[in-house]
Amino acid sequence: MIVNVYLKNINDINLNEKDYENISDYLKNKSNNSNKDRYIISLKEEKFLKEIINIKDKLNIETNKYNKPYLVNSDIKYNFSNKGNYFTLAISEDEVGIDIEEVKENSNSKLYEFIKQHHSDFKNNSPKLIWTMIESSIKLLGISSLMFKEIEIINIKKEDEHNYLFITKYKDILMYGKAKIINDLFMSVCTYNENFEIIYY
């Protein structure tokens, strides 16, 4: 199984009038509940997705009960994550989850407290790295982020200075992931397939 992962600077994607006219109904409806900046990011993400999968018309997107979007009548599975000026897109033939966070530590006490309470076995790793592993698992499952306490980290293996392997679990479901430090970001990708490869772009 191959997962294609794209990392883009949001400022490198320019929007024109046609982009605003040709947005999916999903994004059009979502815009009513989003702030302007978030809407622009989503529009740029959608434009980039269309370029990658070579679709010029409107994307036909629906969501599951937890609002995870998917392409209707398509074998393509995708997932987005964004942080700061960057967004990342994962595309695969099977379900996939992806998350990015800035490597730079901050005083997010809730995050640190959560990691300390629920994942003390892995306290030698950055809390933000662990957070991306949990978030990518949640996004793979397509469940509410309110269920993050139900994600169990089974193992984290550091391959080298910039790459990690990890296994997470939700109820009886095992998930397999790869994490990477790239462009001052932690990036975690998660699938149900133990034997998957990532091609970075």
Side-chain angles (χ1 to χ4, degrees), residues 55-178:
I55 291 181
K56 296 181 180 179
D57 299 324
K58 280 186 180 182
L59 293 173
N60 188 1
I61 299 174
E62 292 185 4
T63 59
N64 70 7
K65 64 180 180 179
Y66 296 111
N67 283 327
K68 181 180 181 179
Y70 63 90
L71 293 171
V72 178
N73 298 322
S74 174
D75 293 331
I76 296 171
K77 311 296 183 187
Y78 75 97
N79 199 227
F80 279 110
S81 180
N82 71 80
K83 194 69 176 181
N85 289 329
Y86 287 95
F87 75 81
T88 186
L89 166 65
I91 293 181
S92 180
E93 62 208 27
D94 294 321
E95 290 292 348
V96 63
I98 191 165
D99 190 62
I100 54 173
E101 289 287 342
E102 293 173 333
V103 170
K104 184 180 177 182
E105 299 296 345
N106 57 28
S107 56
N108 186 337
S109 59
K110 289 183 179 179
L111 184 151
Y112 281 79
E113 191 62 31
F114 171 78
I115 300 301
K116 183 179 176 182
Q117 286 182 1
H118 298 277
H119 302 289
S120 59
D121 291 347
F122 305 103
K123 62 184 178 183
N124 291 331
N125 295 286
S126 164
K128 283 192 174 183
L129 174 64
I130 294 174
W131 191 263
T132 64
M133 295 173 180
I134 296 168
E135 281 291 326
S136 64
S137 303
I138 287 172
K139 294 173 75 175
L140 167 64
L141 290 160
I143 60 175
S144 168
S145 59
L146 296 175
M147 298 179 182
F148 58 84
K149 291 183 180 178
E150 298 181 42
I151 303 295
E152 179 184 356
I153 295 180
I154 304 298
N155 189 39
I156 298 175
K157 178 183 178 183
K158 187 172 183 179
E159 290 193 301
D160 56 43
E161 188 178 353
H162 296 287
N163 294 280
Y164 301 78
L165 300 175
F166 65 93
I167 302 172
T168 55
K169 185 178 180 182
Y170 173 72
K171 296 183 178 179
D172 293 327
I173 302 171
L174 284 175
M175 295 163 283
Y176 304 90
K178 296 183 180 182

